[in-house]
Amino acid sequence: MNKNLLVELFVEELPPKALRALGEAFAGVLFEKLQAQGLTGFDAQLTAFASPRRLAAHVTDVAAQAVDKAVSQKLMPVAVGLDAAGQATPALLKKLQALGVGAQAVPGLRRAVDGKAEALFLERTEKGATLAEGLQAALLDAIAKLPIPKVMSYQLESGCELPGWSSVSFVRPAHGLVALHGADVVPVQALGLQAGRDTHGHRFEARVDPVVLRDADSYAQQLAEDGAVIASFEARRAEIVRQLAAAALKAGSADGGKSHAALQPIHDDALLDEVTALVERPNVLVCAFEPQFLEVPQECLILTMKANQKYFPLLDAKGKLTHQFLVVSNITPEDASAVVQGNERVVRPRLADAKFFFDQDRKISLASRVEQLGKVVYHNKLGTQGERVLRVMRIARAIAEQLGGAGLAAQATQAAQLAKADLVTDMVGEFPELQGTMGRYYALHDGLDPAVADAIEDHYKPRFAGDTLPRNAVGTVVALADKLETLVGMFGIGNLPTGDRDPFALRRHALGVIRILIEKSLDLELAQLVGMASAAFDQSAQGESKQAGDKAGGDFGWHLDAPGADAISTFIYDRLTGSLREQGYSAGEVDAVVSQRPQRLADVPKRLDAVRAFAMLPEAPALAAANKRIGNILKKAPEVDPHVSELLLKAPAEAALFAAMNQTAAQANAQFEAGDYTASLQTLAALREPVDAFFDGVMVNAEELDLRLNRLGLLKRLHDAMNRVADLSRLVAVP
């Protein structure tokens, strides 16, 4: 009879940031291994548990023993296993002996064709694994495959060969193992522990200790009632969310509950997961700090409360920080005032430090800090942050002049000069995550133009997938300049991403360039931008060389050659391809557009829409196939002159195609130049019939050289006209 199974490892406090993954991995591998051994029913369900001191899994419909199964094992080719008289060869007898059967099995061997030769197969019934055997293997496998951040080694005190000396390695010291099949203990062992039915609840608030589990199904209930523990990670997380909302409502109450201010705890999934991994039974409490600390930028206060104390700041309806915050406690005393006061006392020095840093930083202007960047090394082959700032300024000026003239160039140059200055402030030194954010506050304090101040913060954007883009033109220019400087610099010294390693976030920078160019619809060409960035490095090298001779040029001076510039473009196009696929465009659509390496990335969405619309036309498959055929013909020909002589158009089909092209291509080109890519491709669809007729009635590789070259020229003109928007040959597989 099948019963439900419960397995628990009771350990010391697990690393909170890894707990969720550890719990899912432990339960998942255990379940998969039991399934693979045939020990679970068809409808078996898995429930994972994970709390600060336990990893557990509950599996329904688990058999005490797997059913026997017929196994067919290939032994060897008949020619190897049997001699000419049909008797077993020594090789076959040795193989059978290794499998635990003797010569008596030879008459029962099955002969069957395997590939090109006939082979011998041993048919036998394999006894199903018992639960004790199968669970032992599954448990060891689940432990071995845990995504452990860092392994600990510790000594076992009992149940081992040398108590006090025998050691074991695991994420944290393990103190208990539970394995229950229904109400029965399954005799398995791991990490020096023998399975039983005893576990432990909350360190301070458990009603009984140990908690003796009645059966597999009572696990969660008994831990909750007797152990004061919510064993499920998801249930505990949901309870924290519920309590946070209730506490925020309580904190917003005023005038004896007659009115309510709309307060909300800050939304942060990573913080919520971490706090869920720190408590076994949550108790959310409302705390407060002195309102004068709100004079400090709220980003600073929020960061220190979240990162250092794991608190949930409370925001008002406008998203502004209030002086109240929420604490998720692991204890539930009758009088929580001591807990509240303790947390308020702990947070006060943190906030005081933030206020001190903010006050001290504002005594020195951002502009006066720029010189200090010359003492901060950016990269040993690319110089200091000060030298990097000069390059970003040059790139920003060049881009701004292209987009908005002298006014935008002046603002962008100023913003680029100050963008990294907050790196040498006390606040950013303490909280690196605030770089850019503090620069904006300090720029506003210095009386700078808000557009410049916003650009200082925004030049890091987008920081991650889905992040917002710079809010104004100045920020857009400096963000582009900063990312291009990083890409060109790192490619120039050969510091490229490999596999999962991308220490300078070049993939993110490339995606940032793509998003800015496309979503801001900037009239800039990719090769032009790479050239601007490369020129900034050349100018830096030349300037340094004038000041310090050959030494400076040898330190970081270099020139990005054409292959290097092409490598950067290829890297960006590769990121573009992946991004477009994630947005739902098909491989054929993306390949058709990106393979043309369009210089103006802002046009890519319009090109894709045009390709998608074209692919739906009835003429599309035939024209795509013809385009592929033309491309193959032109690849085999020498350099083809697209000039066509009407005097050499001998066949009616080629003359008809030439006439149709003169009319259609001119209209399609005009639509292309106007940016109406969809209309341009749809206009070209009219060429289907004359193209089909051409290939049906004209021999391209005519014996006469002049005829052959003229026909190749005609195909070259057709190919160029059809592929201005996208490479239509890539759409052959598109319906």
Side-chain angles (χ1 to χ4, degrees):
M1 178 179 176
N2 289 7
K3 302 176 184 177
N4 296 341
L5 175 72
L6 185 281
V7 179
E8 182 205 62
L9 265 177
F10 182 77
V11 299
E12 293 184 15
E13 277 76 1
L14 292 160
K17 291 184 178 180
L19 179 62
R20 191 173 201 168
L22 289 171
E24 292 172 353
F26 178 77
V29 174
L30 194 77
F31 184 64
E32 290 171 6
K33 193 73 173 181
L34 291 173
Q35 276 187 319
Q37 297 176 91
L39 287 165
T40 58
F42 180 76
D43 294 323
Q45 299 293 318
L46 169 69
T47 303
F49 297 95
S51 82
R53 297 199 294 160
R54 72 199 75 240
L55 301 174
H58 181 271
V59 184
T60 63
D61 198 18
V62 177
Q65 183 168 3
V67 298
D68 298 346
K69 60 181 179 180
V71 177
S72 178
Q73 184 173 0
K74 179 183 174 182
L75 300 177
M76 58 187 66
V78 171
V80 177
L82 301 176
D83 59 20
Q87 300 299 311
T89 63
L92 177 59
L93 295 175
K94 185 176 181 181
K95 179 70 173 180
L96 291 172
Q97 185 180 10
L99 294 174
V101 295
Q104 69 275 9
V106 173
L109 296 181
R110 180 171 65 89
R111 297 170 62 151
V113 175
D114 182 63
K116 295 183 179 180
E118 193 176 26
L120 296 171
F121 292 82
L122 174 63
E123 308 285 345
R124 57 179 176 172
T125 300
E126 190 174 272
K127 193 168 184 62
T130 65
L131 178 58
E133 297 168 342
L135 181 57
Q136 182 67 66
L139 180 60
L140 295 179
D141 200 34
I143 291 173
K145 292 181 178 178
L146 281 177
I148 298 175
K150 191 174 183 180
V151 175
M152 291 181 63
S153 293
Y154 56 95
Q155 285 68 48
L156 299 175
E157 296 299 329
S158 61
C160 58
E161 185 178 354
L162 298 172
W165 292 91
S166 295
S167 65
V168 66
S169 295
F170 194 51
V171 58
R172 292 291 186 269
H175 298 298
L177 175 63
V178 173
L180 293 176
H181 187 225
D184 302 324
V185 174
V186 184
V188 294
Q189 56 186 343
L191 303 174
L193 302 168
Q194 299 288 334
R197 63 174 67 248
D198 294 358
T199 187
H200 302 275
H202 196 287
R203 280 191 184 274
F204 312 112
E205 299 183 350
R207 189 173 64 83
V208 297
D209 188 61
V211 177
V212 181
L213 299 174
R214 295 186 297 274
D215 54 46
D217 294 341
S218 69
Y219 177 70
Q221 180 185 359
Q222 282 191 259
L223 271 180
E225 295 176 355
D226 298 336
V229 171
I230 301 176
S232 166
F233 188 96
E234 297 304 328
R236 203 163 60 255
R237 191 180 193 272
E239 174 62 15
I240 292 174
V241 171
R242 186 193 69 77
Q243 289 192 33
L244 287 172
L249 183 64
K250 176 183 176 183
S253 299
D255 302 329
K258 295 178 183 178
S259 64
H260 297 280
L263 298 187
Q264 292 291 334
I266 196 162
H267 179 76
D268 189 319
D269 285 334
L271 175 63
L272 184 57
D273 285 347
E274 187 173 0
V275 170
T276 302
L278 286 168
V279 299
E280 292 188 304
R281 186 174 65 173
N283 177 33
V284 175
L285 303 170
V286 180
C287 303
F289 56 81
E290 290 77 0
Q292 60 262 33
F293 286 123
L294 293 175
E295 298 171 5
V296 179
Q298 69 178 44
E299 293 89 345
C300 309
L301 305 181
I302 290 172
L303 182 60
T304 190
M305 284 192 284
K306 291 198 311 181
N308 295 319
Q309 307 303 138
K310 315 305 174 189
Y311 297 157
F312 287 84
L314 282 172
L315 309 178
D316 65 17
K318 296 181 179 179
K320 185 177 180 181
L321 180 68
T322 70
H323 73 290
Q324 297 183 91
F325 61 94
L326 303 180
V327 173
V328 183
S329 174
N330 194 36
I331 57 176
T332 312
E334 291 185 8
D335 182 5
S337 60
V339 179
V340 170
Q341 292 168 10
N343 282 282
E344 291 176 345
R345 186 172 59 253
V346 167
V347 79
R348 194 172 294 116
R350 294 283 188 180
L351 303 183
D353 286 346
K355 187 175 187 306
F356 175 78
F357 293 146
F358 184 56
D359 291 340
Q360 290 298 112
D361 285 343
R362 287 183 296 171
K363 294 178 180 179
I364 305 174
S365 69
L366 273 183
S368 65
R369 294 181 183 274
V370 173
E371 186 178 353
Q372 298 178 48
L373 294 174
K375 301 176 182 178
V376 180
V377 175
Y378 168 54
H379 191 284
N380 64 342
K381 293 184 179 180
L382 295 174
T384 65
Q385 284 286 3
E387 291 161 336
R388 183 183 181 212
V389 163
L390 290 175
R391 295 192 292 267
V392 175
M393 288 170 62
R394 294 188 182 106
I395 302 168
R397 185 187 302 115
I399 295 174
E401 288 173 348
Q402 183 79 12
L403 289 178
L408 180 59
Q411 286 188 310
T413 303
Q414 182 185 26
Q417 181 185 32
L418 301 176
K420 306 296 181 184
D422 66 351
L423 295 178
V424 292
T425 62
D426 292 338
M427 186 71 83
V428 174
E430 181 71 16
F431 302 110
E433 302 93 332
L434 295 175
Q435 57 188 276
T437 300
M438 297 314 302
R440 176 180 177 275
Y441 279 107
Y442 297 145
L444 291 173
H445 178 265
D446 293 344
L448 299 182
D449 188 318
V452 172
D454 290 344
I456 291 173
E457 178 178 11
D458 290 354
H459 86 280
Y460 289 105
K461 294 182 178 180
R463 296 173 185 257
F464 51 85
D467 191 17
T468 57
L469 297 183
R471 70 198 87 177
N472 61 40
V474 184
T476 297
V477 168
V478 181
L480 269 179
D482 184 66
K483 291 165 178 55
L484 288 165
E485 192 277 340
T486 302
L487 287 166
V488 171
M490 291 302 161
F491 268 77
I493 61 174
N495 198 348
L496 310 182
T498 55
D500 294 333
R501 285 185 52 78
D502 189 5
F504 289 92
L506 300 189
R507 296 186 182 97
R508 177 167 58 82
H509 285 307
L511 286 169
V513 170
I514 291 166
R515 281 194 59 198
I516 290 172
L517 292 175
I518 291 178
E519 295 178 33
K520 295 283 187 177
S521 297
L522 299 184
D523 188 15
L524 295 168
E525 294 190 353
L526 186 57
Q528 178 188 29
L529 289 170
V530 174
M532 291 175 180
S534 178
F537 278 88
D538 293 340
Q539 292 171 31
S540 293
Q542 292 166 10
E544 289 295 320
S545 296
K546 289 179 181 178
Q547 293 179 18
D550 293 336
K551 181 180 182 296
D555 282 344
F556 68 92
W558 57 276
H559 175 73
L560 187 70
D561 56 15
D566 186 66
I568 295 174
S569 295
T570 299
F571 182 75
I572 292 175
Y573 284 123
D574 287 345
R575 306 284 81 71
L576 175 62
T577 296
S579 175
L580 294 173
R581 292 293 305 277
E582 290 176 2
Q583 293 175 43
Y585 292 102
S586 71
E589 291 166 347
V590 173
D591 195 24
V593 172
V594 178
S595 64
Q596 299 293 80
R597 296 171 74 97
Q599 286 297 305
R600 194 177 183 275
L601 298 192
D603 286 347
V604 166
K606 287 199 301 181
R607 289 177 184 248
L608 284 165
D609 291 342
V611 166
R612 179 168 286 181
F614 174 79
M616 302 302 294
L617 298 175
E619 298 89 350
L623 280 174
N627 194 56
K628 188 176 185 68
R629 182 176 180 182
I630 294 168
N632 291 334
I633 292 172
L634 294 176
K635 284 178 185 177
K636 299 175 183 177
E639 191 69 27
V640 176
D641 184 353
H643 174 74
V644 177
S645 171
E646 292 188 63
L647 297 175
L648 294 173
L649 297 174
K650 302 297 185 183
E654 62 181 329
L657 177 58
F658 180 73
M661 280 180 55
N662 283 340
Q663 178 180 355
T664 303
Q667 182 181 356
N669 286 338
Q671 292 164 333
F672 177 88
E673 297 299 339
D676 193 348
Y677 302 136
T678 300
S680 180
L681 285 183
Q682 290 179 340
T683 296
L684 290 171
L687 292 174
R688 175 189 173 176
E689 290 186 9
V691 168
D692 288 346
F694 176 87
F695 281 115
D696 288 341
V698 178
M699 174 67 69
V700 176
N701 290 320
E703 292 185 8
E704 299 91 337
L705 179 60
D706 55 350
L707 288 181
R708 182 166 69 250
L709 293 178
N710 203 55
R711 289 169 181 174
L712 287 172
L714 179 62
L715 292 182
K716 173 66 174 172
R717 288 185 62 182
L718 176 61
H719 192 261
D720 291 345
M722 292 178 67
N723 291 284
R724 293 196 72 184
V725 174
D727 182 354
L728 299 184
S729 68
R730 313 278 179 146
L731 298 176
V732 171
V734 177

